[in-house]
Structures are given as structure tokens and as C-alpha cells.
Amino acid sequence: MNERKSEAANIADPETWVDEYGDFLYRYALSRVKDPSVAEDLVQETFLAALRSRENFKGRSTGRTWLIAILKHKIVDYIRKKIREPSSDKIEALSDRADSDFDDKGGWQIRPFKWAINPDKIYEQKEFIDVLYRCLAELPERLAEAFMLREMDGLSTEEVCKVLDITATNSWVMLYRARMSLRGCLENKWLSAEQ
Amino acid sequence: MHWMFSCKEVSQLVSESMDRALPFYQRVLIRMHLLMCKYCARLREQFEAIRAGSGYEQLHGKELDDSRGLSSDGRERLKEFLKNHLTGTP
């Protein structure tokens, strides 16, 4: 209880943010982008976004969790700009790609590989996480947004629907396309790097 | 309602089951399908790995290199930045 209170107090006082969260956010950013000055810029952008939306911090999560969620969005934005392939928002194209995994009868045309990965020890798989971020940055923006709200921010699908102003059915379709696209991308980029 | 799902339908439903509770009959049919189809079972594992890789719940900082923090210059720059924004100084 006291911890939760002090979290709320920390977030209410931005002057403490650098000392409380700066190192952690910086390390996280650095683990994703490798470049110290970029990592620092991302932390700065995270603080700026947090300043602008701090009234939205309801204390449901810890301050650190809230800030790291903002940082993850910034990292994906950064990677998206860096790869200079502005993700077209043609979600239909992704639908075709997901469809091409299957034949006309709905059987697998391109069979999924067995991934040598233990979800419980996922953070030991740095390469996997790096490629996952790169793949996320290649998703059409709206799909990436839906996916990140759900999987990175931990929002319920109802909350995702409210934020994106979409129906529940739409959200399930978008999340399906995002997952199928990510797994295809990971099979191409991560597995080929592993082999 | 049909009693045999195709792999494509199972792939959609496995994803959907990560976002909402599916009806009981669908859960049973999916489970049966996954027992018989190793490719769909692999797909489910892949979706779970993607969720684990994206999830913040697992993020306790243990994967991060503790030895590297902000430089003292960086720390000062960020503090200055926040201070300026709080006081409205450009």
C-alpha cells in the first residue's frame, strides 16, 4: 500500500523521475537501440510524453511499468523511422499474407517451424526480442498500435477497442493479423539468423 | 456451427482465445485439433512466445545490464529538460 502510494507520489513529482526511473529506462532503451545517445533521447521523449499525460496515470500499474510502456512505443516509432520503410497502412495486404499461409481448404501451405524458445526464459533470447521489435516496426501502424496496446500495455480488448474506436470483432481480426504477420517475420528474420 | 475446424480457422481461434473467452465447444474442438495437428500446436507456441516477448509482466529488469546507467551528463541534461518543461522555459 505504502509502495503504491509512493509510486503515485513519484509520478506526481516529475523532478524525481530521473533519479527514480532514469537508469532503468535508459538501460531498457539501450538494450533495444544500442546507441547511448539515441537511448537518452528516447528516455527524454518518454518523459515528455509522460509529462503530457500524467493525469492519465491512475496508479493501477507501477510508475515504472507505466513509463516503460510509453518507452516501448517510442522505441518502435524510432525503429520505424530508422528503417525508412514507412509501413503502408494497407492492412488488406497483410490479410493476403496471412491467407497465403493456407491453401484453399484452410490447411497449412507454409508450415510453422518449431521455435527453440522457452517463453518463461524469453529474456535470455536477446536476438529474438530484437527481431520482434524490428518486425513490430514493419507492421502497418494501426495494427502495431492495436498489438502494442494489447500485448505491451496489457490493455483488455475492450480498452483497445475504446482507444482505437473499433468493434470487438475488428480488434480480434487486427490482433490475429498482427500475430500472424509477426510470426511470419520472425520465421524469416530470426530463424534464418539462427540457422 | 461445424464440428471440424480447418487449420486456418484454428489459427484465428487460437489468436482470439488470447483476447477473449471462447465458447466451451470451440475450446474443446480446438484442443482436439491441437492434439492431432503439430503445426497448429506450433503456431500456438509461437503466439505464446510473441506474447512473452512483448509482455511487460516479465520485465523486472533482470535482462538488463545493471552496470550501465545514464552518464552524469545525461542525467543532468534530463533533469534540466524536465525542469524547463515544468517551469515552461523553452
Side-chain angles (χ1 to χ4, degrees):
Chain A
M1 190 64 156
N2 284 341
E3 239 175 59
R4 183 55 61 87
K5 252 187 189 172
S6 72
E7 280 286 350
N10 284 340
I11 291 299
D13 182 6
E15 291 198 36
T16 66
W17 289 359
V18 175
D19 289 331
E20 284 292 327
Y21 308 110
D23 283 336
F24 179 78
L25 293 172
Y26 175 77
R27 279 186 210 120
Y28 189 85
L30 194 60
S31 75
R32 298 280 83 88
V33 300
K34 315 299 178 208
D35 179 333
S37 65
V38 173
E40 191 185 312
D41 286 348
L42 289 168
V43 175
Q44 181 169 309
E45 285 179 33
T46 299
F47 283 151
L48 182 60
L51 271 181
R52 288 176 175 155
S53 61
R54 83 190 129 125
E55 66 276 9
N56 296 336
F57 177 73
K58 304 274 196 299
R60 276 192 308 179
S61 56
T62 66
R64 191 164 88 162
T65 303
W66 180 62
L67 289 167
I68 211 84
I70 299 173
L71 174 62
K72 284 179 176 180
H73 285 257
K74 297 291 173 198
I75 292 170
V76 172
D77 285 347
Y78 165 77
I79 297 172
R80 186 179 289 133
K81 282 179 198 148
K82 194 178 157 206
I83 56 181
R84 289 176 192 281
E85 287 168 13
S87 46
S88 66
D89 252 320
K90 288 177 183 156
I91 294 175
E92 291 311 315
L94 268 192
S95 162
D96 293 344
R97 205 193 294 174
D99 284 347
S100 72
D101 284 333
F102 301 97
D103 60 28
D104 293 342
K105 289 177 182 168
W108 285 105
Q109 191 152 255
I110 304 166
R111 293 166 173 169
F113 290 106
K114 174 100 181 137
W115 289 2
I117 198 158
N118 176 356
D120 293 332
K121 294 184 178 171
I122 201 88
Y123 282 107
E124 289 174 9
Q125 306 270 339
K126 282 185 188 290
E127 178 76 13
F128 176 82
I129 306 282
D130 284 348
V131 178
L132 177 60
Y133 268 79
R134 285 215 297 282
C135 290
L136 251 176
E138 288 176 16
L139 279 184
E141 213 166 322
R142 212 162 152 75
L143 278 194
E145 190 66 18
F147 180 84
M148 288 192 289
L149 288 169
R150 175 79 184 115
E151 301 288 14
M152 292 185 163
D153 301 351
L155 264 56
S156 68
T157 40
E158 289 79 11
E159 289 169 316
V160 173
C161 291
K162 272 187 204 156
V163 174
L164 297 180
D165 194 23
I166 54 176
T167 64
T169 308
N170 257 336
S171 74
W172 299 324
V173 171
M174 286 171 78
L175 289 165
Y176 169 67
R177 289 179 183 171
R179 291 183 182 119
M180 286 298 280
S181 176
L182 288 172
R183 66 154 287 275
C185 178
L186 280 156
E187 292 222 319
N188 283 332
K189 295 191 167 153
W190 171 61
L191 282 189
S192 57
E194 290 273 299
Q195 281 158 1
Chain B
M1 173 167 96
H2 54 278
W3 65 277
M4 276 289 276
F5 288 135
S6 69
C7 293
K8 186 176 179 181
E9 287 168 317
V10 167
S11 72
Q12 290 161 344
L13 288 168
V14 165
S15 172
E16 229 173 286
S17 72
M18 298 170 81
D19 303 313
R20 71 174 181 120
L22 296 178
F24 178 72
Y25 83 93
Q26 286 188 339
R27 294 204 304 273
V28 173
L29 292 178
I30 290 169
R31 185 171 294 185
M32 282 166 52
H33 185 109
L34 293 177
L35 284 172
M36 293 184 293
C37 174
K38 70 175 175 185
Y39 301 113
C40 286
R42 282 182 188 174
L43 180 79
R44 187 179 61 169
E45 287 169 10
Q46 293 183 355
F47 283 172
E48 283 169 359
I50 290 169
R51 168 164 280 181
S54 315
Y56 65 77
E57 293 91 338
Q58 293 89 340
L59 182 69
H60 300 301
K62 61 188 169 197
E63 87 283 15
L64 303 175
D65 178 1
D66 279 343
S67 64
R68 300 200 69 174
L70 283 161
S71 64
S72 50
D73 284 353
R75 187 177 299 275
E76 287 314 309
R77 270 194 298 272
L78 284 170
K79 283 185 175 176
E80 193 67 18
F81 172 82
L82 277 173
K83 202 167 148 191
N84 289 342
H85 270 273
L86 286 168
T87 55
T89 313

